[in-house]
Amino acid sequence: MTNWNILLESATDGQTTATVLELPTFQVTAGDRQTALGQIQQLLKQRLAKAEVVPISIPTTADDSNPWLRFGGIFKDDEDFAAIVQDIEQERREKTLLNTTEVATQSYHSLVVQKTPRQSQHENVTTLENSMRRSKASRLR
């Protein structure tokens, strides 16, 4: 059983027109809604008794699947673009280094200020150095 979408339109003269939305040429007009639905159903049954609905796939080219692919590599040999990319990378490295330095300084101050009586300043510095080594090692991975 297949479901079809039927458009029912009532005219001012009392007639009802039924149209199969998927097949707009399939249309009947009757005196009331029920008769129109019955006639369009009968028309569909007659047509489908002699026909077969077969889905097909139409392959697309690789270029159609992603419209951005056609722009890939357009700046491959552009020296100006390469310079811009280098500037961006340098700025990111500087920001990362600046942020790491700020975090390390904050960590050092918080360790010194919040040390317990058993900890010495040397232990705090050692802890901070170990923390910075781990942070640097994780960024290099």
Side-chain angles (χ1 to χ4, degrees), residues 69-107:
L69 288 178
R70 65 185 170 141
F71 296 109
I74 61 173
F75 295 112
K76 178 177 65 172
D77 298 321
D78 189 327
E79 293 176 14
D80 293 330
F81 186 74
I84 291 170
V85 170
Q86 284 180 336
D87 288 345
I88 292 170
E89 289 172 347
Q90 179 64 29
E91 186 175 330
R92 286 181 180 167
R93 280 192 297 273
E94 289 171 1
K95 281 185 178 182
T96 301
L97 181 62
L98 181 62
N99 290 339
T100 303
T101 304
E102 288 175 8
V103 169
T105 303
Q106 291 170 359
S107 297

PDB file of all heavy atoms in Angstrom, residues 69-107:
ATOM      1  N   LEU A  69      35.071  22.411  -3.186  1.00  0.00           N
ATOM      2  CA  LEU A  69      36.237  21.720  -3.721  1.00  0.00           C
ATOM      3  C   LEU A  69      36.872  22.470  -4.896  1.00  0.00           C
ATOM      4  O   LEU A  69      38.077  22.392  -5.101  1.00  0.00           O
ATOM      5  CB  LEU A  69      35.862  20.304  -4.158  1.00  0.00           C
ATOM      6  CG  LEU A  69      35.589  19.315  -3.030  1.00  0.00           C
ATOM      7  CD1 LEU A  69      35.184  17.964  -3.600  1.00  0.00           C
ATOM      8  CD2 LEU A  69      36.802  19.161  -2.139  1.00  0.00           C
ATOM      9  N   ARG A  70      36.078  23.195  -5.634  1.00  0.00           N
ATOM     10  CA  ARG A  70      36.656  23.899  -6.785  1.00  0.00           C
ATOM     11  C   ARG A  70      37.604  25.026  -6.374  1.00  0.00           C
ATOM     12  O   ARG A  70      38.386  25.514  -7.167  1.00  0.00           O
ATOM     13  CB  ARG A  70      35.560  24.427  -7.697  1.00  0.00           C
ATOM     14  CG  ARG A  70      34.696  25.480  -7.076  1.00  0.00           C
ATOM     15  CD  ARG A  70      33.572  25.853  -8.014  1.00  0.00           C
ATOM     16  NE  ARG A  70      32.618  26.682  -7.313  1.00  0.00           N
ATOM     17  CZ  ARG A  70      32.014  27.710  -7.844  1.00  0.00           C
ATOM     18  NH1 ARG A  70      32.230  28.024  -9.101  1.00  0.00           N
ATOM     19  NH2 ARG A  70      31.173  28.411  -7.145  1.00  0.00           N
ATOM     20  N   PHE A  71      37.540  25.438  -5.096  1.00  0.00           N
ATOM     21  CA  PHE A  71      38.438  26.491  -4.624  1.00  0.00           C
ATOM     22  C   PHE A  71      39.716  25.930  -4.013  1.00  0.00           C
ATOM     23  O   PHE A  71      40.632  26.687  -3.691  1.00  0.00           O
ATOM     24  CB  PHE A  71      37.728  27.367  -3.586  1.00  0.00           C
ATOM     25  CG  PHE A  71      36.561  28.121  -4.147  1.00  0.00           C
ATOM     26  CD1 PHE A  71      35.264  27.762  -3.801  1.00  0.00           C
ATOM     27  CD2 PHE A  71      36.744  29.158  -5.035  1.00  0.00           C
ATOM     28  CE1 PHE A  71      34.177  28.442  -4.315  1.00  0.00           C
ATOM     29  CE2 PHE A  71      35.668  29.841  -5.565  1.00  0.00           C
ATOM     30  CZ  PHE A  71      34.382  29.476  -5.199  1.00  0.00           C
ATOM     31  N   GLY A  72      39.797  24.633  -3.846  1.00  0.00           N
ATOM     32  CA  GLY A  72      40.973  24.014  -3.235  1.00  0.00           C
ATOM     33  C   GLY A  72      42.229  24.270  -4.053  1.00  0.00           C
ATOM     34  O   GLY A  72      42.261  24.031  -5.249  1.00  0.00           O
ATOM     35  N   GLY A  73      43.268  24.771  -3.400  1.00  0.00           N
ATOM     36  CA  GLY A  73      44.562  24.968  -4.044  1.00  0.00           C
ATOM     37  C   GLY A  73      44.699  26.233  -4.863  1.00  0.00           C
ATOM     38  O   GLY A  73      45.713  26.415  -5.537  1.00  0.00           O
ATOM     39  N   ILE A  74      43.735  27.147  -4.810  1.00  0.00           N
ATOM     40  CA  ILE A  74      43.838  28.337  -5.666  1.00  0.00           C
ATOM     41  C   ILE A  74      44.955  29.286  -5.228  1.00  0.00           C
ATOM     42  O   ILE A  74      45.420  30.084  -6.021  1.00  0.00           O
ATOM     43  CB  ILE A  74      42.497  29.108  -5.779  1.00  0.00           C
ATOM     44  CG1 ILE A  74      42.035  29.615  -4.416  1.00  0.00           C
ATOM     45  CG2 ILE A  74      41.442  28.265  -6.429  1.00  0.00           C
ATOM     46  CD1 ILE A  74      40.808  30.518  -4.491  1.00  0.00           C
ATOM     47  N   PHE A  75      45.388  29.166  -3.958  1.00  0.00           N
ATOM     48  CA  PHE A  75      46.473  30.022  -3.487  1.00  0.00           C
ATOM     49  C   PHE A  75      47.783  29.259  -3.355  1.00  0.00           C
ATOM     50  O   PHE A  75      48.711  29.704  -2.684  1.00  0.00           O
ATOM     51  CB  PHE A  75      46.096  30.650  -2.137  1.00  0.00           C
ATOM     52  CG  PHE A  75      44.926  31.577  -2.222  1.00  0.00           C
ATOM     53  CD1 PHE A  75      43.724  31.254  -1.619  1.00  0.00           C
ATOM     54  CD2 PHE A  75      45.017  32.769  -2.910  1.00  0.00           C
ATOM     55  CE1 PHE A  75      42.645  32.096  -1.687  1.00  0.00           C
ATOM     56  CE2 PHE A  75      43.939  33.627  -3.000  1.00  0.00           C
ATOM     57  CZ  PHE A  75      42.743  33.294  -2.389  1.00  0.00           C
ATOM     58  N   LYS A  76      47.874  28.113  -3.996  1.00  0.00           N
ATOM     59  CA  LYS A  76      49.026  27.220  -3.873  1.00  0.00           C
ATOM     60  C   LYS A  76      50.349  27.940  -4.159  1.00  0.00           C
ATOM     61  O   LYS A  76      51.308  27.798  -3.410  1.00  0.00           O
ATOM     62  CB  LYS A  76      48.833  26.028  -4.815  1.00  0.00           C
ATOM     63  CG  LYS A  76      49.975  25.048  -4.834  1.00  0.00           C
ATOM     64  CD  LYS A  76      49.667  23.871  -5.722  1.00  0.00           C
ATOM     65  CE  LYS A  76      49.554  24.330  -7.152  1.00  0.00           C
ATOM     66  NZ  LYS A  76      49.449  23.256  -8.122  1.00  0.00           N
ATOM     67  N   ASP A  77      50.433  28.719  -5.204  1.00  0.00           N
ATOM     68  CA  ASP A  77      51.681  29.370  -5.596  1.00  0.00           C
ATOM     69  C   ASP A  77      51.669  30.878  -5.355  1.00  0.00           C
ATOM     70  O   ASP A  77      52.469  31.608  -5.928  1.00  0.00           O
ATOM     71  CB  ASP A  77      51.962  29.095  -7.083  1.00  0.00           C
ATOM     72  CG  ASP A  77      52.132  27.607  -7.357  1.00  0.00           C
ATOM     73  OD1 ASP A  77      52.745  26.930  -6.512  1.00  0.00           O
ATOM     74  OD2 ASP A  77      51.649  27.130  -8.403  1.00  0.00           O
ATOM     75  N   ASP A  78      50.777  31.352  -4.501  1.00  0.00           N
ATOM     76  CA  ASP A  78      50.638  32.785  -4.237  1.00  0.00           C
ATOM     77  C   ASP A  78      51.547  33.170  -3.067  1.00  0.00           C
ATOM     78  O   ASP A  78      51.315  32.784  -1.929  1.00  0.00           O
ATOM     79  CB  ASP A  78      49.179  33.102  -3.913  1.00  0.00           C
ATOM     80  CG  ASP A  78      48.909  34.588  -3.837  1.00  0.00           C
ATOM     81  OD1 ASP A  78      49.806  35.346  -3.415  1.00  0.00           O
ATOM     82  OD2 ASP A  78      47.784  34.994  -4.197  1.00  0.00           O
ATOM     83  N   GLU A  79      52.592  33.950  -3.347  1.00  0.00           N
ATOM     84  CA  GLU A  79      53.554  34.341  -2.320  1.00  0.00           C
ATOM     85  C   GLU A  79      52.931  35.251  -1.272  1.00  0.00           C
ATOM     86  O   GLU A  79      53.270  35.179  -0.089  1.00  0.00           O
ATOM     87  CB  GLU A  79      54.768  35.026  -2.965  1.00  0.00           C
ATOM     88  CG  GLU A  79      55.599  34.085  -3.826  1.00  0.00           C
ATOM     89  CD  GLU A  79      56.742  34.800  -4.528  1.00  0.00           C
ATOM     90  OE1 GLU A  79      57.062  35.944  -4.149  1.00  0.00           O
ATOM     91  OE2 GLU A  79      57.312  34.209  -5.458  1.00  0.00           O
ATOM     92  N   ASP A  80      52.033  36.132  -1.699  1.00  0.00           N
ATOM     93  CA  ASP A  80      51.367  37.024  -0.742  1.00  0.00           C
ATOM     94  C   ASP A  80      50.529  36.232   0.255  1.00  0.00           C
ATOM     95  O   ASP A  80      50.535  36.509   1.458  1.00  0.00           O
ATOM     96  CB  ASP A  80      50.478  38.041  -1.469  1.00  0.00           C
ATOM     97  CG  ASP A  80      51.292  39.015  -2.299  1.00  0.00           C
ATOM     98  OD1 ASP A  80      52.450  39.303  -1.917  1.00  0.00           O
ATOM     99  OD2 ASP A  80      50.768  39.491  -3.327  1.00  0.00           O
ATOM    100  N   PHE A  81      49.812  35.236  -0.233  1.00  0.00           N
ATOM    101  CA  PHE A  81      48.991  34.410   0.652  1.00  0.00           C
ATOM    102  C   PHE A  81      49.871  33.631   1.620  1.00  0.00           C
ATOM    103  O   PHE A  81      49.558  33.516   2.814  1.00  0.00           O
ATOM    104  CB  PHE A  81      48.105  33.465  -0.150  1.00  0.00           C
ATOM    105  CG  PHE A  81      47.147  32.692   0.695  1.00  0.00           C
ATOM    106  CD1 PHE A  81      46.029  33.307   1.239  1.00  0.00           C
ATOM    107  CD2 PHE A  81      47.355  31.349   0.953  1.00  0.00           C
ATOM    108  CE1 PHE A  81      45.140  32.605   2.025  1.00  0.00           C
ATOM    109  CE2 PHE A  81      46.475  30.631   1.747  1.00  0.00           C
ATOM    110  CZ  PHE A  81      45.359  31.261   2.281  1.00  0.00           C
ATOM    111  N   ALA A  82      50.995  33.126   1.127  1.00  0.00           N
ATOM    112  CA  ALA A  82      51.928  32.392   1.996  1.00  0.00           C
ATOM    113  C   ALA A  82      52.448  33.304   3.111  1.00  0.00           C
ATOM    114  O   ALA A  82      52.579  32.876   4.267  1.00  0.00           O
ATOM    115  CB  ALA A  82      53.082  31.826   1.183  1.00  0.00           C
ATOM    116  N   ALA A  83      52.722  34.560   2.792  1.00  0.00           N
ATOM    117  CA  ALA A  83      53.203  35.510   3.797  1.00  0.00           C
ATOM    118  C   ALA A  83      52.118  35.786   4.846  1.00  0.00           C
ATOM    119  O   ALA A  83      52.407  35.876   6.046  1.00  0.00           O
ATOM    120  CB  ALA A  83      53.629  36.815   3.134  1.00  0.00           C
ATOM    121  N   ILE A  84      50.876  35.891   4.399  1.00  0.00           N
ATOM    122  CA  ILE A  84      49.768  36.117   5.329  1.00  0.00           C
ATOM    123  C   ILE A  84      49.631  34.927   6.275  1.00  0.00           C
ATOM    124  O   ILE A  84      49.459  35.092   7.483  1.00  0.00           O
ATOM    125  CB  ILE A  84      48.460  36.362   4.550  1.00  0.00           C
ATOM    126  CG1 ILE A  84      48.520  37.698   3.827  1.00  0.00           C
ATOM    127  CG2 ILE A  84      47.245  36.299   5.472  1.00  0.00           C
ATOM    128  CD1 ILE A  84      47.393  37.923   2.845  1.00  0.00           C
ATOM    129  N   VAL A  85      49.718  33.733   5.739  1.00  0.00           N
ATOM    130  CA  VAL A  85      49.617  32.528   6.570  1.00  0.00           C
ATOM    131  C   VAL A  85      50.747  32.498   7.592  1.00  0.00           C
ATOM    132  O   VAL A  85      50.527  32.165   8.769  1.00  0.00           O
ATOM    133  CB  VAL A  85      49.608  31.255   5.693  1.00  0.00           C
ATOM    134  CG1 VAL A  85      49.755  30.003   6.540  1.00  0.00           C
ATOM    135  CG2 VAL A  85      48.347  31.200   4.850  1.00  0.00           C
ATOM    136  N   GLN A  86      51.961  32.854   7.196  1.00  0.00           N
ATOM    137  CA  GLN A  86      53.080  32.883   8.136  1.00  0.00           C
ATOM    138  C   GLN A  86      52.842  33.897   9.243  1.00  0.00           C
ATOM    139  O   GLN A  86      53.132  33.631  10.410  1.00  0.00           O
ATOM    140  CB  GLN A  86      54.392  33.203   7.400  1.00  0.00           C
ATOM    141  CG  GLN A  86      54.942  32.043   6.615  1.00  0.00           C
ATOM    142  CD  GLN A  86      56.240  32.402   5.901  1.00  0.00           C
ATOM    143  OE1 GLN A  86      56.509  33.557   5.621  1.00  0.00           O
ATOM    144  NE2 GLN A  86      57.029  31.383   5.602  1.00  0.00           N
ATOM    145  N   ASP A  87      52.300  35.070   8.891  1.00  0.00           N
ATOM    146  CA  ASP A  87      52.004  36.090   9.907  1.00  0.00           C
ATOM    147  C   ASP A  87      50.962  35.581  10.903  1.00  0.00           C
ATOM    148  O   ASP A  87      51.090  35.785  12.114  1.00  0.00           O
ATOM    149  CB  ASP A  87      51.493  37.378   9.251  1.00  0.00           C
ATOM    150  CG  ASP A  87      52.590  38.129   8.515  1.00  0.00           C
ATOM    151  OD1 ASP A  87      53.786  37.830   8.740  1.00  0.00           O
ATOM    152  OD2 ASP A  87      52.242  39.025   7.709  1.00  0.00           O
ATOM    153  N   ILE A  88      49.955  34.910  10.412  1.00  0.00           N
ATOM    154  CA  ILE A  88      48.915  34.357  11.288  1.00  0.00           C
ATOM    155  C   ILE A  88      49.507  33.311  12.225  1.00  0.00           C
ATOM    156  O   ILE A  88      49.237  33.310  13.428  1.00  0.00           O
ATOM    157  CB  ILE A  88      47.758  33.768  10.456  1.00  0.00           C
ATOM    158  CG1 ILE A  88      46.996  34.889   9.733  1.00  0.00           C
ATOM    159  CG2 ILE A  88      46.805  32.958  11.332  1.00  0.00           C
ATOM    160  CD1 ILE A  88      45.989  34.392   8.706  1.00  0.00           C
ATOM    161  N   GLU A  89      50.327  32.412  11.677  1.00  0.00           N
ATOM    162  CA  GLU A  89      50.951  31.374  12.499  1.00  0.00           C
ATOM    163  C   GLU A  89      51.855  31.980  13.572  1.00  0.00           C
ATOM    164  O   GLU A  89      51.854  31.550  14.723  1.00  0.00           O
ATOM    165  CB  GLU A  89      51.738  30.403  11.628  1.00  0.00           C
ATOM    166  CG  GLU A  89      50.867  29.510  10.773  1.00  0.00           C
ATOM    167  CD  GLU A  89      51.650  28.675   9.778  1.00  0.00           C
ATOM    168  OE1 GLU A  89      52.858  28.936   9.561  1.00  0.00           O
ATOM    169  OE2 GLU A  89      51.040  27.760   9.194  1.00  0.00           O
ATOM    170  N   GLN A  90      52.623  33.016  13.207  1.00  0.00           N
ATOM    171  CA  GLN A  90      53.517  33.676  14.159  1.00  0.00           C
ATOM    172  C   GLN A  90      52.711  34.336  15.277  1.00  0.00           C
ATOM    173  O   GLN A  90      53.045  34.224  16.453  1.00  0.00           O
ATOM    174  CB  GLN A  90      54.392  34.724  13.444  1.00  0.00           C
ATOM    175  CG  GLN A  90      55.322  35.476  14.367  1.00  0.00           C
ATOM    176  CD  GLN A  90      56.359  34.581  15.006  1.00  0.00           C
ATOM    177  OE1 GLN A  90      56.760  33.566  14.447  1.00  0.00           O
ATOM    178  NE2 GLN A  90      56.788  34.932  16.206  1.00  0.00           N
ATOM    179  N   GLU A  91      51.629  34.998  14.906  1.00  0.00           N
ATOM    180  CA  GLU A  91      50.781  35.643  15.904  1.00  0.00           C
ATOM    181  C   GLU A  91      50.176  34.614  16.858  1.00  0.00           C
ATOM    182  O   GLU A  91      50.113  34.826  18.072  1.00  0.00           O
ATOM    183  CB  GLU A  91      49.667  36.430  15.213  1.00  0.00           C
ATOM    184  CG  GLU A  91      48.834  37.252  16.169  1.00  0.00           C
ATOM    185  CD  GLU A  91      47.825  38.119  15.453  1.00  0.00           C
ATOM    186  OE1 GLU A  91      48.083  38.544  14.308  1.00  0.00           O
ATOM    187  OE2 GLU A  91      46.764  38.363  16.047  1.00  0.00           O
ATOM    188  N   ARG A  92      49.757  33.478  16.343  1.00  0.00           N
ATOM    189  CA  ARG A  92      49.209  32.415  17.206  1.00  0.00           C
ATOM    190  C   ARG A  92      50.275  31.875  18.158  1.00  0.00           C
ATOM    191  O   ARG A  92      49.994  31.621  19.325  1.00  0.00           O
ATOM    192  CB  ARG A  92      48.640  31.287  16.354  1.00  0.00           C
ATOM    193  CG  ARG A  92      47.335  31.647  15.702  1.00  0.00           C
ATOM    194  CD  ARG A  92      46.797  30.503  14.886  1.00  0.00           C
ATOM    195  NE  ARG A  92      45.529  30.875  14.264  1.00  0.00           N
ATOM    196  CZ  ARG A  92      44.944  30.184  13.315  1.00  0.00           C
ATOM    197  NH1 ARG A  92      45.487  29.061  12.868  1.00  0.00           N
ATOM    198  NH2 ARG A  92      43.800  30.573  12.799  1.00  0.00           N
ATOM    199  N   ARG A  93      51.485  31.682  17.641  1.00  0.00           N
ATOM    200  CA  ARG A  93      52.568  31.197  18.511  1.00  0.00           C
ATOM    201  C   ARG A  93      52.852  32.200  19.631  1.00  0.00           C
ATOM    202  O   ARG A  93      53.032  31.824  20.788  1.00  0.00           O
ATOM    203  CB  ARG A  93      53.839  30.943  17.695  1.00  0.00           C
ATOM    204  CG  ARG A  93      53.854  29.627  16.943  1.00  0.00           C
ATOM    205  CD  ARG A  93      55.238  29.295  16.394  1.00  0.00           C
ATOM    206  NE  ARG A  93      55.715  30.243  15.409  1.00  0.00           N
ATOM    207  CZ  ARG A  93      55.459  30.164  14.089  1.00  0.00           C
ATOM    208  NH1 ARG A  93      54.741  29.165  13.625  1.00  0.00           N
ATOM    209  NH2 ARG A  93      55.920  31.070  13.261  1.00  0.00           N
ATOM    210  N   GLU A  94      52.883  33.499  19.285  1.00  0.00           N
ATOM    211  CA  GLU A  94      53.150  34.532  20.289  1.00  0.00           C
ATOM    212  C   GLU A  94      52.044  34.577  21.342  1.00  0.00           C
ATOM    213  O   GLU A  94      52.327  34.690  22.532  1.00  0.00           O
ATOM    214  CB  GLU A  94      53.302  35.894  19.613  1.00  0.00           C
ATOM    215  CG  GLU A  94      54.588  36.028  18.818  1.00  0.00           C
ATOM    216  CD  GLU A  94      54.637  37.285  17.964  1.00  0.00           C
ATOM    217  OE1 GLU A  94      53.660  38.077  17.993  1.00  0.00           O
ATOM    218  OE2 GLU A  94      55.643  37.483  17.273  1.00  0.00           O
ATOM    219  N   LYS A  95      50.786  34.461  20.906  1.00  0.00           N
ATOM    220  CA  LYS A  95      49.675  34.466  21.859  1.00  0.00           C
ATOM    221  C   LYS A  95      49.745  33.253  22.774  1.00  0.00           C
ATOM    222  O   LYS A  95      49.505  33.359  23.968  1.00  0.00           O
ATOM    223  CB  LYS A  95      48.336  34.489  21.120  1.00  0.00           C
ATOM    224  CG  LYS A  95      47.940  35.835  20.608  1.00  0.00           C
ATOM    225  CD  LYS A  95      46.550  35.801  20.008  1.00  0.00           C
ATOM    226  CE  LYS A  95      46.145  37.170  19.528  1.00  0.00           C
ATOM    227  NZ  LYS A  95      44.797  37.182  18.978  1.00  0.00           N
ATOM    228  N   THR A  96      50.075  32.092  22.210  1.00  0.00           N
ATOM    229  CA  THR A  96      50.185  30.875  23.010  1.00  0.00           C
ATOM    230  C   THR A  96      51.300  31.025  24.037  1.00  0.00           C
ATOM    231  O   THR A  96      51.131  30.683  25.206  1.00  0.00           O
ATOM    232  CB  THR A  96      50.452  29.657  22.106  1.00  0.00           C
ATOM    233  OG1 THR A  96      49.390  29.543  21.169  1.00  0.00           O
ATOM    234  CG2 THR A  96      50.561  28.383  22.916  1.00  0.00           C
ATOM    235  N   LEU A  97      52.442  31.561  23.611  1.00  0.00           N
ATOM    236  CA  LEU A  97      53.565  31.764  24.518  1.00  0.00           C
ATOM    237  C   LEU A  97      53.204  32.760  25.603  1.00  0.00           C
ATOM    238  O   LEU A  97      53.487  32.544  26.781  1.00  0.00           O
ATOM    239  CB  LEU A  97      54.796  32.235  23.739  1.00  0.00           C
ATOM    240  CG  LEU A  97      56.065  32.466  24.545  1.00  0.00           C
ATOM    241  CD1 LEU A  97      56.510  31.148  25.191  1.00  0.00           C
ATOM    242  CD2 LEU A  97      57.162  33.015  23.666  1.00  0.00           C
ATOM    243  N   LEU A  98      52.540  33.854  25.243  1.00  0.00           N
ATOM    244  CA  LEU A  98      52.127  34.869  26.205  1.00  0.00           C
ATOM    245  C   LEU A  98      51.156  34.281  27.220  1.00  0.00           C
ATOM    246  O   LEU A  98      51.299  34.475  28.417  1.00  0.00           O
ATOM    247  CB  LEU A  98      51.492  36.053  25.472  1.00  0.00           C
ATOM    248  CG  LEU A  98      51.026  37.226  26.344  1.00  0.00           C
ATOM    249  CD1 LEU A  98      52.226  37.837  27.065  1.00  0.00           C
ATOM    250  CD2 LEU A  98      50.322  38.263  25.501  1.00  0.00           C
ATOM    251  N   ASN A  99      50.164  33.530  26.739  1.00  0.00           N
ATOM    252  CA  ASN A  99      49.192  32.911  27.647  1.00  0.00           C
ATOM    253  C   ASN A  99      49.864  31.912  28.577  1.00  0.00           C
ATOM    254  O   ASN A  99      49.542  31.831  29.752  1.00  0.00           O
ATOM    255  CB  ASN A  99      48.072  32.221  26.859  1.00  0.00           C
ATOM    256  CG  ASN A  99      47.153  33.209  26.176  1.00  0.00           C
ATOM    257  OD1 ASN A  99      47.087  34.371  26.572  1.00  0.00           O
ATOM    258  ND2 ASN A  99      46.459  32.759  25.155  1.00  0.00           N
ATOM    259  N   THR A 100      50.810  31.134  28.061  1.00  0.00           N
ATOM    260  CA  THR A 100      51.524  30.150  28.877  1.00  0.00           C
ATOM    261  C   THR A 100      52.331  30.850  29.956  1.00  0.00           C
ATOM    262  O   THR A 100      52.355  30.421  31.110  1.00  0.00           O
ATOM    263  CB  THR A 100      52.445  29.289  27.994  1.00  0.00           C
ATOM    264  OG1 THR A 100      51.658  28.677  26.981  1.00  0.00           O
ATOM    265  CG2 THR A 100      53.149  28.223  28.800  1.00  0.00           C
ATOM    266  N   THR A 101      52.982  31.957  29.594  1.00  0.00           N
ATOM    267  CA  THR A 101      53.780  32.712  30.556  1.00  0.00           C
ATOM    268  C   THR A 101      52.892  33.293  31.645  1.00  0.00           C
ATOM    269  O   THR A 101      53.220  33.233  32.828  1.00  0.00           O
ATOM    270  CB  THR A 101      54.550  33.843  29.838  1.00  0.00           C
ATOM    271  OG1 THR A 101      55.336  33.262  28.810  1.00  0.00           O
ATOM    272  CG2 THR A 101      55.439  34.594  30.809  1.00  0.00           C
ATOM    273  N   GLU A 102      51.733  33.847  31.256  1.00  0.00           N
ATOM    274  CA  GLU A 102      50.803  34.410  32.245  1.00  0.00           C
ATOM    275  C   GLU A 102      50.307  33.327  33.199  1.00  0.00           C
ATOM    276  O   GLU A 102      50.255  33.527  34.409  1.00  0.00           O
ATOM    277  CB  GLU A 102      49.623  35.067  31.547  1.00  0.00           C
ATOM    278  CG  GLU A 102      49.968  36.361  30.852  1.00  0.00           C
ATOM    279  CD  GLU A 102      48.790  36.927  30.067  1.00  0.00           C
ATOM    280  OE1 GLU A 102      47.673  36.398  30.177  1.00  0.00           O
ATOM    281  OE2 GLU A 102      48.993  37.910  29.348  1.00  0.00           O
ATOM    282  N   VAL A 103      49.946  32.172  32.665  1.00  0.00           N
ATOM    283  CA  VAL A 103      49.464  31.071  33.496  1.00  0.00           C
ATOM    284  C   VAL A 103      50.557  30.606  34.438  1.00  0.00           C
ATOM    285  O   VAL A 103      50.314  30.363  35.625  1.00  0.00           O
ATOM    286  CB  VAL A 103      48.947  29.905  32.614  1.00  0.00           C
ATOM    287  CG1 VAL A 103      48.693  28.665  33.453  1.00  0.00           C
ATOM    288  CG2 VAL A 103      47.707  30.318  31.861  1.00  0.00           C
ATOM    289  N   ALA A 104      51.788  30.496  33.937  1.00  0.00           N
ATOM    290  CA  ALA A 104      52.900  30.051  34.769  1.00  0.00           C
ATOM    291  C   ALA A 104      53.156  31.049  35.896  1.00  0.00           C
ATOM    292  O   ALA A 104      53.384  30.656  37.050  1.00  0.00           O
ATOM    293  CB  ALA A 104      54.156  29.869  33.923  1.00  0.00           C
ATOM    294  N   THR A 105      53.099  32.344  35.585  1.00  0.00           N
ATOM    295  CA  THR A 105      53.320  33.370  36.604  1.00  0.00           C
ATOM    296  C   THR A 105      52.224  33.317  37.658  1.00  0.00           C
ATOM    297  O   THR A 105      52.499  33.351  38.860  1.00  0.00           O
ATOM    298  CB  THR A 105      53.352  34.773  35.948  1.00  0.00           C
ATOM    299  OG1 THR A 105      54.364  34.778  34.947  1.00  0.00           O
ATOM    300  CG2 THR A 105      53.646  35.850  36.969  1.00  0.00           C
ATOM    301  N   GLN A 106      50.990  33.185  37.217  1.00  0.00           N
ATOM    302  CA  GLN A 106      49.867  33.088  38.159  1.00  0.00           C
ATOM    303  C   GLN A 106      49.999  31.836  39.015  1.00  0.00           C
ATOM    304  O   GLN A 106      49.752  31.862  40.216  1.00  0.00           O
ATOM    305  CB  GLN A 106      48.539  33.081  37.409  1.00  0.00           C
ATOM    306  CG  GLN A 106      48.208  34.406  36.758  1.00  0.00           C
ATOM    307  CD  GLN A 106      47.013  34.301  35.823  1.00  0.00           C
ATOM    308  OE1 GLN A 106      46.450  33.236  35.643  1.00  0.00           O
ATOM    309  NE2 GLN A 106      46.643  35.429  35.226  1.00  0.00           N
ATOM    310  N   SER A 107      50.388  30.728  38.404  1.00  0.00           N
ATOM    311  CA  SER A 107      50.551  29.480  39.142  1.00  0.00           C
ATOM    312  C   SER A 107      51.643  29.629  40.195  1.00  0.00           C
ATOM    313  O   SER A 107      51.490  29.175  41.329  1.00  0.00           O
ATOM    314  CB  SER A 107      50.889  28.328  38.200  1.00  0.00           C
ATOM    315  OG  SER A 107      49.844  28.106  37.305  1.00  0.00           O
TER     316      SER A 107
END
